[in-house]
Amino acid sequence: STARAAATAAAEKEEKDESEDDGEARFAWMDSGDEASEIEKQVSRVDPFALFSDAEDKSQEHRRQKLPPPPPPKEVETLAQMLRLAEVLHGQKDLQPGALTDVCIASVRVRFYDPALFQETLAPSMLGHLKDGLAQEEEDGSRFTVDQVLEVVAALAGLNAAGALPEVFASAARALQASGERLTSAQRKLLKEVYAAAGRERDVSFLSFLVPTGDESQTHKVKGSTEEGFNSEGLPTRPGVRVCENYYKTGTCKMGRLCRMDHPEAMRVIMNSEGFPIRPWVQACTYYARMGTCDFRKTCKWHHPEKKASHG
């Protein structure tokens, strides 16, 4: 009996010792820094910002793959198209005068101005070509023509970019001054208007010293009314009386039927197919002639003839 009790006690002690040994082995990793330090090393090697950066790069690349290529500058009609074109142009070196001109015109057409594109990409190319002087006629396209320079500065003025690109305006003025005698009266008029709008009249002060070209466009002379009465707009026609100045300039008369001046039927303002006023008795709108549009639209006091249909 005593021996059996002693054997039973010994067996229980041995079983307890084995159980404790198993527990120590099972949780031994908690007391060891080996596995924990390895996990920490793997986590520390992961850059959380790189994960977002990689995702963004892949997202942008995916969008670029889905977007169609931008159209040529001459065919840009929307802001979205211009944004895609600007992305392609960024960083390009030595763009040719024709391309620079087309990009400027496209930008003003969709009201787009990106300081980085104009100051870092377009302006250096413009200044480089302007230093070479202007082409006598259409050459190989390596130099600006007079018309191209006028289109560029008119577009930049329309974008209110004169303050950001003063060197371009100054360099363009110097190049045009060197070709001053070749400037037509219409070109001189446009140049003066553009630089005045940009607040840089001093750049083109040389215009006042140029010899008149003699090619000033002749406006159509309108005769006064021949019959007493009213024109088709209900305004009085008074033969032998001075033409109403307001009617002459705007095509309207605030005095209406009470006006004592003449309102010839021949001076009734009509609109061209694009909604711009046709006034052949005054000078042509120089901005419209160059840019194909006019910000004043119906209220512009100058002539906007129908555009000639292009053939071919």
Side-chain angles (χ1 to χ4, degrees), residues 24-303:
E24 291 176 356
R26 187 180 303 115
F27 296 102
W29 67 270
M30 296 181 66
D31 299 325
S32 173
D34 294 342
E35 187 169 349
S37 62
E38 183 63 28
I39 293 174
E40 290 174 357
K41 289 179 181 178
Q42 293 179 7
V43 172
S44 66
R45 284 197 287 272
V46 177
D47 183 358
F49 295 102
L51 296 175
F52 292 105
S53 178
D54 292 342
E56 180 64 20
D57 290 343
K58 291 179 180 178
S59 175
Q60 290 181 0
E61 181 64 26
H62 180 65
R63 287 197 296 270
R64 280 195 291 268
Q65 291 176 355
K66 294 180 65 177
L67 289 174
K74 286 185 177 181
E75 299 177 12
V76 168
E77 296 294 342
T78 66
L79 181 59
Q81 292 175 337
M82 191 64 218
L83 288 170
R84 297 206 306 274
L85 179 62
E87 187 175 356
V88 173
L89 292 173
H90 270 298
Q92 289 195 23
K93 305 292 184 181
D94 196 29
L95 291 167
Q96 292 302 299
L100 292 167
T101 305
D102 292 341
V103 170
C104 290
I105 294 175
S107 297
V108 76
R109 186 162 56 238
V110 299
R111 303 298 185 191
F112 168 84
Y113 180 77
D114 175 14
L117 174 64
F118 278 84
Q119 296 175 27
E120 299 172 13
T121 298
L122 302 185
S125 292
M126 291 178 191
L127 293 172
H129 290 299
L130 288 170
K131 288 179 182 178
D132 297 333
L134 304 184
Q136 294 291 332
E137 298 293 340
E138 293 290 342
E139 298 178 352
D140 58 357
S142 62
R143 294 195 297 173
F144 278 110
T145 64
V146 170
D147 284 339
Q148 286 175 334
V149 174
L150 290 172
E151 288 172 340
V152 166
V153 293
L156 295 178
L159 293 170
N160 295 321
L165 303 171
E167 299 88 354
V168 173
F169 278 81
S171 184
R174 287 193 294 269
L176 290 166
Q177 182 176 4
S179 303
E181 298 302 329
R182 294 193 289 119
L183 298 176
T184 66
S185 60
Q187 290 171 335
R188 296 177 188 186
K189 183 175 183 293
L190 174 61
L191 184 59
K192 186 175 181 180
E193 290 177 352
V194 168
Y195 274 75
R200 300 189 63 88
E201 297 94 329
R202 290 185 179 181
D203 289 343
V204 292
S205 58
F206 67 89
L207 290 173
S208 60
F209 301 103
L210 295 180
V211 177
T213 62
D215 68 344
E216 287 77 6
S217 57
Q218 298 296 319
T219 57
H220 293 265
K221 292 184 179 180
V222 179
K223 295 180 180 181
S225 301
T226 57
E227 296 182 3
E228 187 90 20
F230 297 93
N231 65 17
S232 60
E233 294 180 319
L235 298 174
T237 56
R238 306 183 189 279
V241 177
R242 184 165 58 89
V243 173
C244 173
E245 184 176 356
N246 197 52
Y247 185 69
Y248 176 85
K249 291 181 177 179
T250 67
T252 61
C253 178
K254 295 179 180 179
M255 296 295 293
R257 288 176 171 255
L258 299 178
C259 185
R260 297 181 179 182
M261 300 295 106
D262 185 26
H263 306 78
E265 178 67 27
M267 289 182 61
R268 185 173 62 88
V269 177
I270 60 174
M271 302 296 167
N272 67 15
S273 58
E274 295 181 294
F276 300 109
I278 295 177
R279 307 180 195 275
W281 52 89
V282 295
Q283 292 184 349
C285 175
T286 51
Y287 191 84
Y288 177 77
R290 289 293 168 198
M291 309 304 296
T293 186
C294 176
D295 291 341
F296 292 100
R297 298 197 67 80
K298 293 182 179 181
T299 61
C300 185
K301 63 181 181 180
W302 304 116
H303 179 42

